[in-house]
Amino acid sequence: MSDFIVIGAGIIGLATALRLLEEGASVTLLERHKAGCEASWAGGGILSPLCPWNYPDAVNRLVAFSTSLYPEWTAALSTATGINPEYHVCGLLALPPYDLDEAVSWCAAHATPLTYQIFPLSTHTRTLGIYDCTQQQADQALLLPDVAQVRNPRLSQALCKRVKQLGGNIIEHCEVQKLNATRQEVRSIRVPHKNLSADRYILSAGAWSRNILGEYALNIEIKPIRGQILLYKFPEKPLHSVVLQQDLYLIPRRDGHLLVGSTTEDVGFDKRITLEAKDKLSKWAGKILPKLSNMLPLRHWSGLRPATPGNIPVIGAHPFLKNLYVNSGHFRYGITMAPGSAEILTNEIMQRTQPFDTTPYQQGWNLSG
């Protein structure tokens, strides 16, 4: 019997399992489909909130902590597994419309003067090759040069390999059907044709977390939100930085691939892609990067994000089931928050001092429901 069963082998579950394995624990991960191939694979891999000034401190604090771990974390994974997650600092260029005063105020409070730049679109963006700004002479763009990205499918592959190297057991195509609990403790979990047991359990099942909790969900607010993305391919890298306009973005990969995303659709557990989304994303991308106007996407996919109010995840012990922990509800930023969330949960399990106040991530339970 393992010390821990981790339910869900997406980026959060894998990062959590790895951290526990590094502590010497024995860990089994259960994944309903294939490890790392749901929202973790479908996302873009921008290591920042899209517009950080639009998010509460609880989001930005966790992002800042988590991204500080990323360089060493991904370098160690690459060395140990031979799989390069392609972490690199590329910068993020935010295009109008956005609240310039709010953005500048946030940058001034959270960054040194050298970590952001504001400039007129009319004088700079043509040299970047992205924008015909003849109608936007008065508008200004904001460049955050320290924002990084990672190639999330490769990160998931590296995590899977490293977990296995350290003795972790990943069981795929194993859907958890029910938590079997008595006397405020999980005794086992029901999977097809049998029950599985461990000393402690960690729920990291993303959009499916509430369903698995069942009667123990306590009205926790985690629900699926569909996001659709298009993929293009250029002979060489078409942009120097991530380009953002409101909730839509272009993400250039080093090998010439370009991601265009993403929609935010409250449609339940429906992962179908739509022509409407394809048309919306392609038309917007063609306005930003005119070269795309005559190109067809190579691929079009969707993923289901685990949405929570304010994008604040739930990290910590279940209020009533003493051997159950939750690390879920990261909405758009599971990849961004993964190493930080794993560290915070491990600190709680090991009863260690946290790097900052983590109580906001334990307030997602509606105990009055």
Side-chain angles (χ1 to χ4, degrees):
M1 185 171 71
S2 296
D3 296 327
F4 292 90
I5 286 179
V6 177
I7 303 169
I11 193 77
I12 296 295
L14 288 166
T16 303
L18 174 58
R19 190 67 192 86
L20 292 170
L21 287 163
E22 291 171 342
E23 293 287 343
S26 58
V27 183
T28 295
L29 291 95
L30 308 179
E31 172 54 45
R32 62 192 301 272
H33 287 314
K34 195 168 172 57
C37 288
E38 286 286 353
S40 303
W41 180 90
I46 304 171
L47 300 182
S48 169
L50 294 183
C51 293
W53 49 89
N54 290 336
Y55 289 92
D57 286 343
V59 170
N60 285 309
R61 193 178 300 120
L62 179 53
V63 166
F65 174 63
S66 191
T67 54
S68 73
L69 303 176
Y70 247 98
E72 183 176 346
W73 191 55
T74 52
L77 282 170
S78 182
T79 298
T81 66
I83 301 172
N84 182 5
E86 293 190 17
Y87 169 88
H88 67 285
V89 177
C90 61
L92 183 147
L93 182 69
L95 302 177
Y98 63 91
D99 189 321
L100 181 61
D101 291 338
E102 191 173 328
V104 171
S105 176
W106 185 90
C107 288
H110 294 85
T112 67
L114 296 178
T115 58
Y116 70 95
Q117 302 170 26
I118 301 168
F119 51 80
L121 280 171
S122 57
T123 60
H124 286 274
T125 52
R126 287 193 180 185
T127 62
L128 296 172
I130 61 163
Y131 209 76
D132 182 359
C133 51
T134 55
Q135 302 302 316
Q136 303 195 38
Q137 298 280 334
D139 285 326
Q140 292 181 304
L142 175 68
L143 178 65
L144 301 173
D146 295 334
V147 170
Q149 64 163 288
V150 70
R151 201 149 181 176
N152 39 299
R154 296 187 181 184
L155 175 60
S156 294
Q157 291 168 5
L159 284 167
C160 285
K161 185 172 181 178
R162 187 59 179 150
V163 164
K164 293 175 181 178
Q165 285 176 339
L166 294 178
N169 183 25
I170 301 176
I171 304 176
E172 298 179 325
H173 307 289
C174 182
E175 183 174 3
V176 174
Q177 299 169 331
K178 185 182 179 183
L179 304 178
N180 299 316
T182 57
R183 298 180 183 177
Q184 298 184 336
E185 186 174 12
V186 178
R187 300 294 180 176
S188 66
I189 55 176
R190 182 67 180 170
V191 299
H193 312 302
K194 61 182 177 181
N195 292 322
L196 297 176
S197 299
D199 293 331
R200 287 179 278 190
Y201 304 82
I202 297 172
L203 178 61
S204 298
W208 290 267
S209 294
R210 179 180 170 85
N211 290 359
I212 292 172
L213 283 168
E215 63 186 287
Y216 306 106
L218 307 176
N219 293 325
I220 193 172
E221 295 186 65
I222 299 177
K223 68 176 183 178
I225 295 291
R226 184 172 69 193
Q228 299 187 52
I229 288 183
L230 305 179
L231 176 69
Y232 294 84
K233 181 67 168 70
F234 288 83
E236 57 186 20
K237 188 177 178 180
L239 297 171
H240 297 296
S241 65
V242 173
V243 177
L244 171 71
Q245 191 172 51
Q246 296 180 306
D247 282 341
L248 302 180
Y249 50 74
L250 304 172
I251 306 175
R253 302 300 199 203
R254 285 173 164 170
D255 62 1
H257 283 98
L258 181 76
L259 301 181
V260 178
S262 138
T263 61
T264 305
E265 305 167 79
D266 190 352
V267 293
F269 288 94
D270 183 355
K271 284 181 62 178
R272 290 176 294 182
I273 57 175
T274 66
L275 291 176
E276 179 183 6
K278 181 180 179 181
D279 186 58
K280 172 187 175 179
L281 294 172
S282 61
K283 284 185 176 179
W284 171 79
K287 292 178 182 178
I288 303 299
L289 187 61
K291 295 176 185 178
L292 289 171
S293 297
N294 297 318
M295 295 177 63
L296 295 175
L298 293 180
R299 294 191 63 186
H300 177 191
W301 66 77
S302 73
L304 299 178
R305 310 179 187 98
T308 49
N311 212 124
I312 300 173
V314 179
I315 307 171
H318 189 279
F320 300 135
L321 299 176
K322 60 185 180 182
N323 64 339
L324 175 64
Y325 300 84
V326 176
N327 194 359
S328 188
H330 296 76
F331 203 177
R332 302 186 82 157
Y333 303 119
I335 295 164
T336 311
M337 296 174 171
S341 298
E343 188 71 20
I344 286 170
L345 185 61
T346 301
N347 286 340
E348 177 168 343
I349 292 170
M350 304 295 178
Q351 298 183 336
R352 295 173 180 160
T353 302
Q354 297 287 9
F356 55 89
D357 180 16
T358 61
T359 54
Y361 317 114
Q362 299 164 9
Q363 297 174 353
W365 304 98
N366 185 351
L367 300 183
S368 62

